[in-house]
Coordinates of all heavy atoms in Angstrom, one line a residue:
F224 N -6.5 -17.8 1.3 CA -6.2 -19.2 1.0 C -6.3 -20.0 2.3 O -6.7 -21.2 2.3 CB -4.8 -19.3 0.3 CG -4.7 -18.9 -1.1 CD1 -3.5 -18.7 -1.7 CD2 -6.0 -18.7 -1.9 CE1 -3.5 -18.4 -3.0 CE2 -5.8 -18.4 -3.2 CZ -4.6 -18.1 -3.8
N225 N -6.0 -19.4 3.4 CA -6.1 -20.0 4.7 C -7.6 -20.3 5.0 O -7.9 -21.3 5.5 CB -5.4 -18.9 5.7 CG -5.2 -19.8 7.1 OD1 -5.6 -20.9 7.3 ND2 -4.6 -19.1 8.0
G226 N -8.4 -19.3 4.7 CA -9.9 -19.6 4.8 C -10.3 -20.6 4.0 O -11.2 -21.5 4.2
L227 N -9.8 -20.7 2.6 CA -10.2 -21.8 1.8 C -9.8 -23.2 2.3 O -10.6 -24.2 2.1 CB -9.6 -21.5 0.4 CG -10.3 -20.4 -0.5 CD1 -9.5 -20.2 -1.7 CD2 -11.7 -20.8 -0.8
M228 N -8.7 -23.2 2.9 CA -8.3 -24.5 3.5 C -9.2 -25.0 4.6 O -9.4 -26.1 4.8 CB -6.8 -24.4 4.0 CG -5.7 -24.4 2.9 SD -4.0 -24.6 3.4 CE -3.8 -23.1 4.4
Q229 N -9.7 -24.0 5.3 CA -10.7 -24.4 6.4 C -12.0 -24.8 5.7 O -12.6 -25.7 6.3 CB -11.0 -23.1 7.3 CG -9.9 -22.3 7.9 CD -9.1 -23.3 8.8 OE1 -9.6 -24.2 9.5 NE2 -7.7 -23.1 8.9
L230 N -12.4 -24.3 4.5 CA -13.5 -24.8 3.8 C -13.2 -26.1 3.2 O -14.2 -27.0 3.1 CB -13.9 -23.9 2.7 CG -14.7 -22.6 3.1 CD1 -14.9 -21.7 1.8 CD2 -16.0 -23.0 3.7
G231 N -12.0 -26.4 2.7 CA -11.8 -27.5 1.9 C -11.4 -28.8 2.7 O -11.0 -29.9 2.2
D232 N -11.4 -28.8 4.1 CA -11.2 -30.0 4.9 C -12.1 -31.0 4.5 O -13.4 -30.8 4.2 CB -11.3 -29.7 6.4 CG -10.0 -28.9 6.8 OD1 -9.1 -28.7 6.1 OD2 -10.2 -28.3 7.9
D233 N -11.8 -32.3 4.7 CA -12.6 -33.4 4.4 C -13.5 -33.8 5.6 O -14.2 -34.8 5.6 CB -11.8 -34.7 4.1 CG -11.2 -34.5 2.7 OD1 -11.8 -33.8 1.8 OD2 -10.2 -35.1 2.4
A234 N -13.4 -32.9 6.7 CA -14.1 -33.3 7.8 C -15.6 -33.0 7.7 O -16.1 -32.5 6.7 CB -13.6 -32.4 9.0
G235 N -16.4 -33.3 8.7 CA -17.8 -33.2 8.6 C -18.3 -31.6 8.5 O -17.4 -30.8 8.7
R236 N -19.5 -31.6 8.2 CA -20.1 -30.0 8.1 C -19.8 -29.3 9.3 O -19.5 -28.1 9.2 CB -21.5 -30.2 7.6 CG -22.1 -28.9 7.3 CD -23.5 -29.1 6.9 NE -24.2 -27.8 6.7 CZ -24.5 -27.3 5.6 NH1 -24.2 -28.0 4.5 NH2 -25.2 -26.2 5.5
E237 N -20.1 -29.8 10.5 CA -20.0 -29.2 11.7 C -18.6 -28.7 12.0 O -18.3 -27.7 12.4 CB -20.6 -29.9 12.8 CG -22.0 -30.0 12.8 CD -22.7 -31.0 14.0 OE1 -21.9 -31.2 14.8 OE2 -23.8 -31.4 13.9
L238 N -17.6 -29.7 11.7 CA -16.3 -29.3 12.0 C -15.7 -28.2 11.0 O -15.0 -27.3 11.4 CB -15.4 -30.5 11.8 CG -13.9 -30.4 12.3 CD1 -13.9 -30.0 13.8 CD2 -13.2 -31.8 12.1
K239 N -16.2 -28.2 9.8 CA -15.8 -27.1 8.8 C -16.3 -25.9 9.3 O -15.6 -24.8 9.3 CB -16.4 -27.4 7.5 CG -15.8 -28.4 6.6 CD -16.5 -28.6 5.2 CE -15.8 -29.7 4.5 NZ -16.5 -29.8 3.3
A240 N -17.6 -25.8 9.8 CA -18.3 -24.5 10.3 C -17.5 -24.1 11.6 O -17.3 -22.8 11.6 CB -19.7 -24.8 10.6
T241 N -17.0 -24.9 12.4 CA -16.3 -24.6 13.6 C -14.9 -24.0 13.2 O -14.5 -23.0 13.8 CB -16.2 -25.8 14.5 OG1 -17.4 -26.2 14.8 CG2 -15.5 -25.4 15.8
S242 N -14.2 -24.7 12.3 CA -12.9 -24.2 12.0 C -12.9 -22.9 11.3 O -12.1 -22.0 11.4 CB -12.0 -25.2 11.2 OG -12.7 -25.6 9.9
L243 N -13.9 -22.7 10.3 CA -14.1 -21.4 9.6 C -14.4 -20.3 10.5 O -14.1 -19.2 10.5 CB -15.1 -21.6 8.5 CG -15.2 -20.5 7.5 CD1 -13.8 -20.1 6.8 CD2 -16.3 -20.5 6.5
Y244 N -15.4 -20.7 11.5 CA -15.8 -19.7 12.6 C -14.6 -19.2 13.3 O -14.3 -18.1 13.6 CB -16.8 -20.3 13.5 CG -17.2 -19.4 14.6 CD1 -18.0 -18.3 14.4 CD2 -16.7 -19.6 15.9 CE1 -18.3 -17.5 15.5 CE2 -16.9 -18.7 16.9 CZ -17.8 -17.7 16.7 OH -18.1 -16.8 17.7
R245 N -13.7 -20.3 13.8 CA -12.5 -19.9 14.5 C -11.5 -19.0 13.6 O -10.9 -18.0 14.1 CB -11.7 -21.1 14.8 CG -10.8 -21.0 16.1 CD -10.4 -22.3 16.5 NE -11.2 -23.4 16.5 CZ -11.0 -24.5 15.8 NH1 -9.8 -24.7 15.1 NH2 -11.9 -25.5 15.9
F246 N -11.4 -19.3 12.3 CA -10.6 -18.5 11.4 C -11.2 -17.1 11.3 O -10.4 -16.1 11.3 CB -10.6 -19.2 10.0 CG -10.1 -18.2 8.9 CD1 -8.7 -18.0 8.8 CD2 -10.9 -17.7 8.0 CE1 -8.2 -17.2 7.8 CE2 -10.5 -16.8 7.0 CZ -9.2 -16.7 6.9
A247 N -12.5 -17.0 11.0 CA -13.1 -15.7 10.9 C -13.0 -14.8 12.1 O -12.9 -13.6 12.1 CB -14.6 -15.8 10.5
R248 N -13.2 -15.5 13.3 CA -13.0 -14.7 14.7 C -11.6 -14.2 14.8 O -11.4 -13.2 15.4 CB -13.4 -15.7 15.7 CG -13.5 -14.9 17.0 CD -13.9 -15.9 18.2 NE -12.8 -16.9 18.3 CZ -13.0 -18.0 18.7 NH1 -14.1 -18.5 19.0 NH2 -11.8 -18.9 18.8
N249 N -10.6 -15.0 14.3 CA -9.3 -14.7 14.6 C -8.5 -13.8 13.4 O -7.3 -13.8 13.4 CB -8.4 -15.8 14.9 CG -8.8 -16.5 16.1 OD1 -9.2 -15.8 17.1 ND2 -8.8 -17.8 16.3
V250 N -9.2 -13.4 12.4 CA -8.7 -12.7 11.3 C -7.9 -11.5 11.8 O -6.9 -11.1 11.3 CB -9.7 -12.3 10.2 CG1 -9.3 -11.3 9.3 CG2 -10.1 -13.6 9.4
G251 N -8.5 -10.8 12.7 CA -7.9 -9.5 13.2 C -6.5 -9.8 13.8 O -5.8 -8.8 13.8
D252 N -6.3 -10.9 14.4 CA -5.0 -11.2 14.9 C -3.8 -11.2 13.9 O -2.7 -11.0 14.2 CB -5.0 -12.6 15.7 CG -6.0 -12.6 16.8 OD1 -6.4 -11.6 17.3 OD2 -6.4 -13.8 17.2
F253 N -4.2 -11.4 12.6 CA -3.1 -11.4 11.7 C -2.6 -10.0 11.4 O -1.4 -9.9 11.1 CB -3.7 -11.9 10.3 CG -3.9 -13.4 10.3 CD1 -5.2 -14.0 10.4 CD2 -2.9 -14.3 10.1 CE1 -5.4 -15.3 10.3 CE2 -3.1 -15.6 10.1 CZ -4.5 -16.2 10.2
A254 N -3.3 -9.0 11.8 CA -2.7 -7.6 11.7 C -1.7 -7.4 12.7 O -0.6 -6.7 12.5 CB -3.8 -6.6 11.9
G255 N -1.7 -8.1 13.9 CA -0.9 -7.9 14.9 C 0.4 -8.8 14.7 O 1.5 -8.4 15.0
E256 N 0.1 -10.1 14.4 CA 1.2 -11.0 14.1 C 1.9 -10.8 13.0 O 3.3 -10.6 12.9 CB 0.6 -12.4 14.0 CG -0.1 -12.8 15.3 CD -0.8 -14.2 15.0 OE1 -0.9 -14.7 14.0 OE2 -1.6 -14.6 16.0
W257 N 1.4 -10.6 11.7 CA 2.1 -10.4 10.5 C 2.2 -8.9 10.1 O 3.0 -8.6 9.4 CB 1.5 -11.3 9.4 CG 1.5 -12.7 9.7 CD1 0.6 -13.5 10.3 CD2 2.6 -13.7 9.4 NE1 0.9 -14.8 10.3 CE2 2.2 -15.0 9.8 CE3 3.8 -13.5 8.7 CZ2 3.0 -16.0 9.6 CZ3 4.6 -14.6 8.6 CH2 4.1 -15.8 8.9
G258 N 1.1 -8.3 10.3 CA 0.9 -7.0 9.8 C 2.0 -5.9 10.2 O 2.4 -5.2 9.4
I259 N 2.4 -5.9 11.4 CA 3.4 -4.9 11.9 C 4.7 -5.1 11.2 O 5.4 -4.2 10.7 CB 3.6 -4.8 13.4 CG1 4.4 -3.6 13.9 CG2 4.1 -6.1 14.0 CD1 3.6 -2.5 14.4
I260 N 5.1 -6.3 11.1 CA 6.4 -6.7 10.4 C 6.3 -6.3 8.9 O 7.3 -5.8 8.3 CB 6.8 -8.2 10.7 CG1 7.1 -8.3 12.2 CG2 8.1 -8.5 9.8 CD1 7.2 -9.7 12.6
F261 N 5.3 -6.8 8.3 CA 5.0 -6.6 6.9 C 5.0 -5.1 6.7 O 5.5 -4.6 5.7 CB 3.8 -7.2 6.5 CG 3.5 -7.1 5.0 CD1 4.2 -7.9 4.1 CD2 2.7 -6.1 4.4 CE1 4.1 -7.8 2.8 CE2 2.5 -6.1 3.1 CZ 3.1 -6.9 2.2
A262 N 4.2 -4.3 7.3 CA 4.0 -2.9 7.2 C 5.4 -2.1 7.3 O 5.8 -1.2 6.6 CB 3.0 -2.3 8.1
L263 N 6.1 -2.6 8.3 CA 7.5 -1.9 8.6 C 8.4 -2.1 7.4 O 9.0 -1.1 6.9 CB 8.2 -2.7 9.8 CG 9.6 -2.1 10.2 CD1 9.3 -0.7 10.8 CD2 10.2 -3.0 11.2
F264 N 8.5 -3.3 6.8 CA 9.3 -3.5 5.6 C 8.8 -3.0 4.3 O 9.5 -2.4 3.5 CB 9.8 -5.0 5.5 CG 10.7 -5.5 6.5 CD1 10.3 -6.3 7.6 CD2 12.0 -4.9 6.6 CE1 11.2 -6.7 8.5 CE2 12.9 -5.4 7.5 CZ 12.5 -6.2 8.5
A265 N 7.4 -3.2 4.1 CA 6.8 -2.7 2.9 C 6.7 -1.3 2.8 O 7.1 -0.7 1.7 CB 5.3 -3.3 2.8
G266 N 6.6 -0.6 3.9 CA 6.7 0.9 3.9 C 8.1 1.4 3.4 O 8.2 2.4 2.6
L267 N 9.0 0.8 3.9 CA 10.5 1.2 3.4 C 10.7 0.9 2.0 O 11.2 1.7 1.3 CB 11.5 0.5 4.3 CG 12.9 0.7 4.0 CD1 13.3 2.2 4.1 CD2 13.9 -0.2 4.9
I268 N 10.3 -0.3 1.6 CA 10.6 -0.7 0.2 C 9.9 0.2 -0.8 O 10.4 0.6 -1.8 CB 10.4 -2.2 0.0 CG1 11.3 -3.0 0.8 CG2 10.4 -2.6 -1.4 CD1 11.1 -4.5 0.9
V269 N 8.6 0.4 -0.5 CA 7.8 1.2 -1.5 C 8.4 2.7 -1.5 O 8.4 3.3 -2.5 CB 6.3 1.1 -1.1 CG1 5.5 2.1 -1.9 CG2 5.8 -0.3 -1.4
A270 N 8.7 3.2 -0.3 CA 9.2 4.5 -0.2 C 10.6 4.7 -1.0 O 10.8 5.7 -1.6 CB 9.4 5.0 1.2
M271 N 11.4 3.6 -0.9 CA 12.7 3.7 -1.6 C 12.3 3.6 -3.1 O 13.0 4.3 -3.9 CB 13.5 2.5 -1.2 CG 14.1 2.6 0.2 SD 15.0 1.2 0.7 CE 16.4 1.1 -0.4
A272 N 11.3 2.9 -3.5 CA 11.1 2.8 -4.9 C 10.4 4.1 -5.4 O 11.0 4.7 -6.5 CB 10.0 1.7 -5.2
V273 N 9.5 4.8 -4.8 CA 8.9 6.0 -5.3 C 9.8 7.2 -5.1 O 9.6 8.1 -5.9 CB 7.5 6.3 -4.7 CG1 6.5 5.2 -5.0 CG2 7.5 6.5 -3.2
C274 N 10.8 7.1 -4.3 CA 11.8 8.3 -4.1 C 13.0 8.0 -4.9 O 14.0 8.7 -4.8 CB 12.2 8.4 -2.6 SG 10.8 9.1 -1.6
S275 N 12.9 6.9 -5.8 CA 14.2 6.5 -6.5 C 14.6 7.5 -7.5 O 15.7 7.6 -8.0 CB 14.0 5.1 -7.2 OG 12.9 5.3 -8.2
H276 N 13.8 8.5 -8.0 CA 14.1 9.5 -8.9 C 15.1 10.5 -8.3 O 15.8 11.1 -9.1 CB 12.9 10.2 -9.5 CG 12.1 11.0 -8.5 ND1 11.2 10.4 -7.6 CD2 12.2 12.3 -8.1 CE1 10.7 11.3 -6.8 NE2 11.4 12.6 -7.1
M277 N 15.3 10.4 -7.0 CA 16.2 11.5 -6.4 C 17.6 10.8 -6.2 O 18.5 11.5 -5.6 CB 15.7 11.9 -5.0 CG 14.4 12.6 -5.1 SD 13.8 13.2 -3.5 CE 13.8 11.8 -2.6
Y278 N 17.8 9.5 -6.5 CA 19.0 8.9 -6.1 C 20.2 9.0 -7.1 O 21.3 8.6 -6.7 CB 18.8 7.3 -5.8 CG 17.7 7.1 -4.7 CD1 17.0 6.0 -4.7 CD2 17.6 7.9 -3.7 CE1 16.1 5.7 -3.8 CE2 16.7 7.8 -2.6 CZ 15.9 6.6 -2.7 OH 15.0 6.4 -1.8
N279 N 20.0 9.4 -8.3 CA 21.1 9.7 -9.2 C 20.8 11.1 -9.9 O 19.6 11.4 -10.0 CB 21.4 8.7 -10.0 CG 20.4 8.4 -11.2 OD1 19.9 9.3 -11.8 ND2 20.2 7.1 -11.6

Side-chain angles (χ1 to χ4, degrees):
F224 288 167
N225 195 356
L227 283 174
M228 286 191 296
Q229 305 299 327
L230 278 176
D232 287 343
D233 291 333
R236 183 180 174 107
E237 290 178 14
L238 189 58
K239 281 183 189 179
T241 304
S242 63
L243 189 61
Y244 174 76
R245 203 173 322 121
F246 166 77
R248 189 183 63 210
N249 295 327
V250 163
D252 295 340
F253 287 103
E256 295 171 2
W257 297 94
I259 187 103
I260 295 167
F261 184 79
L263 183 72
F264 288 110
L267 174 65
I268 292 169
V269 171
M271 288 173 71
V273 297
C274 293
S275 65
H276 66 276
M277 298 186 304
Y278 298 151
N279 73 36

